[in-house]
Amino acid sequence: MTLDGEALERLRKRALAGGAEKYHAANAAKGKLFARERVALLVDEGSFVEDGLYANALADGLPADGVVTGQATVDGRPVCLMANDSTVKAGSWGARTVEKIIRIIERAYTTGVPMIYLVDSAGARITDQVDLFPGRRGAGKIFWNQVRASGSIPQACALFGPSAAGGAYIPAFCDVVAMVEGNASMYLGSDRMVEMVTGEKTTLEAMGGAAVHTRESGVGHFLCKTEVEALDTIKRYLSYLPDNWTQAPPATTPAAAPSNVDLAGLVPASERQAFDMRRYARGLLDEGSFFEIQALWAKELTIGFGRLAGETVGVVANNSMFKGGVLFVDSADKATRFIQLCDAFNVPLLFLSDVPGFMVGTAVEKEGIIRHGAKMITAVAEATVPKICVVVRKAYGAGLYAMAGPGFEPDATIALPTAKIAVMGAEAAVNAVYANKIAAIADPEERAAFVAAKRTEYERDIDIARLASELVVDAVVEPHELRDELIRRLAAARGKERHFSKRRHGVTPV
Ligand SMILES: CCC(=O)SCCNC(=O)CCNC(=O)[C@H](O)C(C)(C)COP(=O)(O)OP(=O)(O)OC[C@H]1O[C@@H](n2cnc3c(N)ncnc32)[C@H](O)[C@@H]1OP(=O)(O)O
């Protein structure tokens, strides 16, 4: 049978319209856009080339089989994308849906361009499971492809609605997930299923909503107020990264650092006084370039991209405003993944250290602080991209190693004149070594004098001039010299040979 122009137009119109009007209206009532509107907002006008528009065109009520896929440009750069259409069977995956998604990821991977996932889906279409679930080109192949593409091409997800069961793994395999507050959710079992299996009464929002995943689980990276904000966030994310792992990140026109930030004044002399390292990073980087990732989760560690003289850098920074900047299991995980991301896409790493060390105590031992810390230290060791450790205020204990200290092949360890590097802070050290002697001194004044003397002795030992003279640090610079020092050092490190170890891969502590 051939298609005449009219019949083709009818098929096209039907496919482009999506599902039943009642589902469009329900989405609109929730402030949700139609999948095709999302695509139009994301890509450069007129650049979208769609595949598989007629998937399941002969079936009733399954336009495009519930997913839009194709290639386009975003800010002039090529991308591949998929967008679930939740007006068609709640965006669930039929056999053609799955095949379309697999094909577009394969295309992104083979052409070396970023893959963008606009997700709003009920997961596997339960009614069609034999066709879509178990086979060689079944839903599992989507994840296999995502894992293969990970670190080869950027993969970014904007999540607008549910992402149920298997569907929740698409975001999970992406580098980053932007979630729209109020509508986006990710969960392995729906609220109905949870009640059936465990008896727990919950809601999609309480169990897997945007607030939960961006503040508590860390599976989401950006909490966005609107769909447009989520799409803009994905665009901004991609602007820092190359199209694929073989390329350098795109540079922009260099901008100066903000003129109104006094870096020296930001860091209090007393270690007991907290300061916001995000302000420090903003003051150091090109004005307006700092793009924080996972800003709401594990806040004791800040991560994000920025630019120095127009070149992308990845920032890993301790923030004493939260939990004193101590590293916990979640902050170690947050750092690990970001370091791997930067290393995969040739983004130099800048560590801004003000770290008292890893958390101690029963609670964190039960949570596996040792293996989480070891995981972060593994990522730091394995990262061969240029990396510079700046000791802004302190680097104590294994925190020094986690922040790319001298033993971790940094391209430089730079200290500010007031910085301290030590196995632990003075107070803890004096207590660790002299606890018995201190307890034996009955007179309180004598005891205090003993402690003060030992403290002075200890601080003399870790004096930064001494550490510079022993070649522990490569440079000691004034705060106002730091930015230029970093720009010069990163430029010098850019062409370095990158190799870590002769092997297939390590056995990472996870
Ligand atoms: C790899 C393993 C897997 O992924 S197993 C997949 C498991 N998925 C689920 O348990 C999710 C089940 N669906 C839901 O919880 C809801 O539909 C969610 C996603 C919350 C959306 O709710 P809502 O927007 O109110 O839509 P709705 O329930 O009215 O459904 C609209 C139409 O879509 C259908 N639908 C929904 N989910 C599926 C599914 N997974 N498989 C097959 N069909 C599904 C509904 O039956 C409904 O269809 P119809 O338009 O009435 O014909």
Side-chain angles (χ1 to χ4, degrees), residues 23 89-90 92 122-127 133 162 164-166 187 190 192 204:
Y23 291 125
K89 298 284 174 198
S92 61
R125 195 170 296 153
I126 299 162
T127 41
F133 177 67
Y187 47 89
S190 70
R192 288 194 297 253
L204 298 188

Side-chain angles (χ1 to χ4, degrees), residues 20 22-23 26-27 30 32 86-93 121-128 132-133 139 143 162-168 185 187-193 204:
K22 65 175 177 176
Y23 291 125
N27 278 346
K30 291 181 201 153
K32 290 171 69 175
S86 60
T87 66
V88 178
K89 298 284 174 198
S92 61
W93 308 341
S121 167
R125 195 170 296 153
I126 299 162
T127 41
D128 297 7
L132 71 96
F133 177 67
F143 310 139
S163 177
S185 58
Y187 47 89
L188 292 186
S190 70
D191 43 359
R192 288 194 297 253
M193 183 190 281
L204 298 188

Side-chain angles (χ1 to χ4, degrees), residues 119-199:
V119 173
D120 187 353
S121 167
R125 195 170 296 153
I126 299 162
T127 41
D128 297 7
Q129 61 167 305
V130 176
D131 295 330
L132 71 96
F133 177 67
R136 282 183 167 257
R137 301 277 294 179
K141 198 74 181 189
I142 296 177
F143 310 139
W144 183 90
N145 269 289
Q146 282 193 279
V147 174
R148 180 173 67 154
S150 177
S152 174
I153 52 170
Q155 298 188 83
C157 171
L159 184 50
F160 304 101
S163 177
Y169 284 105
I170 283 198
F173 290 121
C174 285
D175 312 339
V176 289
V177 185
M179 297 183 75
V180 180
E181 199 166 16
N183 283 335
S185 58
M186 279 186 264
Y187 47 89
L188 292 186
S190 70
D191 43 359
R192 288 194 297 253
M193 183 190 281
V194 168
E195 187 171 357
M196 197 179 82
V197 174
T198 70

Side-chain angles (χ1 to χ4, degrees), residues 61-134:
L62 294 170
D65 210 19
V67 71
V68 180
T69 60
Q71 294 160 267
T73 60
V74 169
D75 295 331
R77 298 171 61 200
V79 299
C80 287
L81 65 88
M82 59 135 279
N84 299 117
D85 179 358
S86 60
T87 66
V88 178
K89 298 284 174 198
S92 61
W93 308 341
R96 311 290 183 286
T97 327
V98 168
E99 181 60 25
K100 283 173 71 173
I101 297 172
I102 292 171
R103 284 187 194 182
I104 199 65
I105 308 173
E106 288 174 347
R107 174 149 294 254
Y109 176 73
T110 54
T111 55
V113 304
M115 178 69 212
I116 302 174
Y117 303 81
L118 306 184
V119 173
D120 187 353
S121 167
R125 195 170 296 153
I126 299 162
T127 41
D128 297 7
Q129 61 167 305
V130 176
D131 295 330
L132 71 96
F133 177 67

